[in-house]
Amino acid sequence: MTTTPMKKNRSVSRCSFFLALLVWVGSTATHAFQTGVNYLPDTTDHTNFSTPYHSTYTFFYHLNEGNYDPDISAGALNMVGSEGQNAAALAVMLKQIFDGNGVYVRMNEIPNAPNYRDSVRNSQQIYVFDEIILPSVYLEKVGNQWKFSSTTVQNIKALHKETYPYGTDKLLTLLPKLGSQVYFGLHLWQLFGLFFLLLLVFASHRLFTFLVDRGLYYVLVRSGYGTIAKKYLLPVARIVSIYLIVLLLAIFVRVLQLPISIVSWVTIFLNAVKPFIVTIIFYKLVNVFSGYMERMAEKTASTLDDQLVPLVRKTLKAFVIIVGSLFVLKYGLRIDIVPFLTGLSIGGLAFALAAQDTIKNFFGSVMIFIDKPFQVGDWITSGDVDGTVEEVGFRSTRVRTFRNSLMYIPNGKIADATVDNHGLRKYRRFYSTITITYDTPPELIEVFVEGLRRIVQNHPKTRKDYYNIYLNNLSAYSLDIMFYVFFEVPSWPEELKAREDLILAAIRLANKLEVRFAFPTQTLHMETFPEKQGFTPIYEDGRAGYQQKLEQFIKSETGAGSSPPDKTTS
């Protein structure tokens, strides 16, 4: 396999980075105190347990590489309840717990008073080193001496197992056997440990990437979920692989027993990265969940579900970011978030008072999504609002008016208003009056009205169980036929098309039967001249003739004959 120049450059840059990191670690190690504490001035008494300061100094001083004497350090342990156990071994394990968790003990912060009392804990004579990482490890006054509490001593083995899980605690005794020579400020076994750690991380990343890209992706593609796998699952799986690498680093970097000044910063970094990566994973999982919701929304007839999906997606992402940030602050950066949450609650009250309208609009949008008074595409009327719903948001609803302008109505206002949803109509009413002239014979009127009813019966979009077509009025210049029908159509354009069909059919029927439509006119009657013919039509066919013309018209309109319906219509 040939290596491209770009890959060579990347390899050189990576090697340079790790070499620089190694030199920095070594230079720091030569100046750092490897006992888990910051630099300490020498004192005349190295076995003093009279104050929290002196007990801490004595414990870590005799576990230093140059002054290693764990038997003296064990004097800082309260062995009540742990009789029969090796106190020196417990002291070493306790120091490893401090180092493995990256707890950097600052001697200038430890009280130097024999009768010190912790005001936070009801003035008890105890001192806790780290309330977030090691809350169960603390000093207590026993007689005239300050020692690690009996509870701490009894929990040392459990804490050690928790700090070095999965059998990594055995490496603490195996790795030093590789050699204790010092290079770059580190022991030979630490250099070997760094090399194997980098090799393990690289191999794990390659293995997991192979399993995801070649295994999981292949299975999902064969199952018909190729788009979902490529768009949603693969990004999540790759972030998970990075999280596993961080977990490996967090576990095995403790075994190397690097200088505490380095481990403390590395631990803070890894502890912050872990919740940060988990936040990214859940952030991307929201996209997976949203994709599933979109597919479910496509199967429903309601278009309001399509608007709900992006809103839920944005809300879940905001929630993930907020919760993830709190975890990063508390467990990563070791910041006490209780005062922050307390201040946030007080500030939230002030914010709620100042943003009443915004909160009202938010709950109005919630009620819209719960009650579903309308959906996207519906024609609604509410006060001055008259148009088609285009979008429903958390704050406002967007309505396109029939002037083609766009109106933004706060959801709180819509939730309190009366909304007339024309889009939910099952039937659309059509009411009109057909006027015919007074000289139309009664028999012809009956046949014409019957024909209008036949037209309604034969139209595919009309309501058949309820319509009213009757001669119902004698007006000043016409005989009025009430034409009252309903269309079963979903939209206004379809309603207009159905109206056009009925009106054209009524006109053709009138032309076929020679029925004249009336309109306001003035008629001057003159004596008929012998050689002239009057304008008034002469009706001589009778009902049988009119009925025959009606049947011919119906045949021409429908293409087949149909029996006349019952004249009585509910």
Side-chain angles (χ1 to χ4, degrees):
M1 179 183 296
T2 58
T3 305
T4 62
M6 183 176 295
K7 291 183 178 180
K8 288 182 179 179
N9 293 333
R10 290 178 179 175
S11 301
V12 172
S13 61
R14 290 173 182 172
C15 293
S16 301
F17 170 75
F18 288 119
L19 181 60
L21 178 63
L22 191 61
V23 173
W24 177 75
V25 170
S27 62
T28 307
T30 57
H31 296 87
F33 201 24
Q34 287 187 311
T35 59
V37 295
N38 60 336
Y39 176 75
L40 296 174
D42 194 10
T43 62
T44 57
D45 189 0
H46 299 301
T47 57
N48 189 348
F49 304 101
S50 60
T51 67
Y53 175 89
H54 287 90
S55 295
T56 304
Y57 180 88
T58 301
F59 176 78
F60 285 106
Y61 179 84
H62 291 284
L63 291 176
N64 185 21
E65 186 175 350
N67 308 296
Y68 189 75
D69 193 346
D71 291 326
I72 298 178
S73 296
L77 305 181
N78 184 4
M79 298 299 294
V80 176
S82 302
E83 295 84 354
Q85 298 192 41
N86 190 336
L90 292 177
V92 174
M93 294 175 67
L94 181 58
K95 186 260 182 183
Q96 292 174 347
I97 292 172
F98 274 92
D99 292 347
N101 287 280
V103 177
Y104 190 61
V105 180
R106 292 173 172 81
M107 294 299 299
N108 56 349
E109 297 179 0
I110 300 179
N112 194 11
N115 295 319
Y116 168 78
R117 293 181 181 275
D118 192 342
S119 58
V120 179
R121 295 174 175 81
N122 299 324
S123 298
Q124 299 182 63
Q125 289 189 304
I126 61 175
Y127 175 76
V128 181
F129 291 92
D130 194 303
E131 298 179 358
I132 298 178
I133 300 178
L134 295 176
S136 61
V137 177
Y138 58 92
L139 296 171
E140 66 178 358
K141 190 171 183 180
V142 181
N144 294 325
Q145 294 182 332
W146 283 83
K147 295 187 177 184
F148 286 95
S149 66
S150 58
T151 303
T152 300
V153 176
Q154 294 171 12
N155 292 331
I156 285 178
K157 292 185 178 180
L159 290 173
H160 194 270
K161 199 73 175 178
E162 182 180 343
T163 306
Y164 302 94
Y166 311 114
T168 54
D169 55 329
K170 296 181 176 60
L171 296 177
L172 295 172
T173 56
L174 293 178
L175 286 177
K177 296 179 181 179
L178 297 176
S180 59
Q181 298 86 348
V182 178
Y183 301 96
F184 303 108
L186 296 176
H187 293 289
L188 181 62
W189 66 270
Q190 291 176 323
L191 295 176
F192 273 111
L194 283 173
F195 174 76
F196 284 114
L197 179 59
L198 295 176
L199 183 64
L200 177 63
V201 168
F202 178 77
S204 301
H205 177 67
R206 296 289 295 179
L207 176 62
F208 191 83
T209 303
F210 175 81
L211 293 176
V212 171
D213 291 348
R214 301 297 177 86
L216 179 63
Y217 181 71
Y218 176 78
V219 172
L220 291 174
V221 170
R222 292 295 300 269
S223 303
Y225 297 97
T227 303
I228 297 178
K230 185 175 182 181
K231 188 175 180 180
Y232 298 112
L233 295 182
L234 280 184
V236 174
R238 287 164 182 165
I239 297 296
V240 171
S241 68
I242 297 176
Y243 180 73
L244 294 178
I245 291 174
V246 173
L247 287 181
L248 288 176
L249 287 173
I251 293 174
F252 288 97
V253 77
R254 302 174 178 180
V255 181
L256 300 179
Q257 295 291 291
L258 296 174
I260 189 60
S261 58
I262 298 175
V263 176
S264 61
W265 288 106
V266 172
T267 303
I268 291 175
F269 174 76
L270 294 178
N271 289 339
V273 167
K274 285 189 288 186
F276 178 74
I277 296 178
V278 172
T279 302
I280 296 177
I281 292 174
F282 278 97
Y283 188 87
K284 291 184 176 294
L285 285 176
V286 171
N287 293 330
V288 179
F289 179 68
S290 300
Y292 173 77
M293 290 181 61
E294 288 177 357
R295 296 187 65 180
M296 294 296 101
E298 291 175 356
K299 298 179 181 179
T300 61
S302 175
T303 55
L304 198 61
D305 297 340
D306 301 331
Q307 294 291 315
L308 183 61
V309 171
L311 295 179
V312 172
R313 179 172 60 246
K314 294 177 183 177
T315 303
L316 289 178
K317 286 185 175 181
F319 177 77
V320 168
I321 292 174
I322 293 174
V323 174
S325 301
L326 294 177
F327 272 88
V328 171
L329 291 175
K330 181 176 181 180
Y331 297 103
L333 304 180
R334 304 176 185 176
I335 297 176
D336 188 7
I337 63 174
V338 175
F340 171 75
L341 295 177
T342 304
L344 188 64
S345 61
I346 298 174
L349 178 60
F351 176 78
L353 294 175
Q356 295 183 38
D357 292 338
T358 302
I359 297 175
K360 180 180 179 181
N361 292 330
F362 170 77
F363 283 103
S365 63
V366 173
M367 295 307 300
I368 289 175
F369 283 110
I370 293 176
D371 293 341
K372 297 181 180 180
F374 51 78
Q375 59 183 352
V376 176
D378 285 350
W379 168 25
I380 65 171
T381 301
S382 178
D384 298 333
V385 180
D386 188 19
T388 304
V389 179
E390 281 195 353
E391 183 180 346
V392 181
F394 267 149
R395 180 193 171 277
S396 62
T397 296
R398 190 169 66 184
V399 177
R400 179 75 64 177
T401 67
F402 297 110
R403 302 183 302 274
N404 202 33
S405 62
L406 204 57
M407 297 184 67
Y408 290 87
I409 304 96
N411 289 333
K413 182 178 179 181
I414 293 181
D416 294 336
T418 301
V419 178
D420 185 5
N421 190 344
H422 306 284
L424 294 180
R425 292 180 298 176
K426 184 178 181 181
Y427 301 107
R428 294 172 179 259
R429 188 185 67 169
F430 175 42
Y431 176 74
S432 182
T433 300
I434 300 177
T435 60
I436 59 177
T437 58
Y438 266 98
D439 54 12
T440 307
E443 296 83 0
L444 180 56
I445 294 175
E446 291 179 350
V447 174
F448 181 62
V449 171
E450 181 183 335
L452 294 175
R453 293 169 180 161
R454 298 276 289 276
I455 291 173
V456 174
Q457 285 285 348
N458 292 331
H459 195 278
K461 298 296 181 65
T462 56
R463 182 179 180 182
K464 306 300 188 297
D465 59 341
Y466 183 77
Y467 61 89
N468 293 291
I469 303 175
Y470 295 100
L471 177 67
N472 75 326
N473 191 31
L474 300 173
S475 64
Y477 60 88
S478 63
L479 301 174
D480 297 340
I481 300 175
M482 181 180 67
F483 194 78
Y484 187 84
V485 298
F486 291 88
F487 298 114
E488 193 172 0
V489 291
S491 62
W492 192 42
E494 294 182 75
E495 177 187 350
L496 295 177
K497 182 63 175 64
R499 287 190 183 191
E500 179 182 319
D501 294 341
L502 293 187
I503 292 173
L504 290 177
I507 294 174
R508 286 194 292 267
L509 175 61
N511 293 336
K512 181 68 176 179
L513 298 178
E514 298 181 356
V515 173
R516 295 192 304 161
F517 294 109
F519 51 89
T521 57
Q522 288 184 349
T523 303
L524 179 61
H525 288 274
M526 300 181 64
E527 187 176 350
T528 305
F529 295 95
E531 68 278 7
K532 299 292 184 180
Q533 185 176 1
F535 293 102
T536 303
I538 301 174
Y539 301 98
E540 297 178 347
D541 293 340
R543 181 175 179 85
Y546 301 141
Q547 190 69 37
Q548 183 179 1
K549 290 183 179 181
L550 172 60
E551 296 298 332
Q552 293 174 358
F553 171 78
I554 295 299
K555 287 182 180 180
S556 65
E557 286 291 315
T558 61
S562 59
S563 58
D566 189 3
K567 293 182 181 181
T568 60
T569 307
S570 59

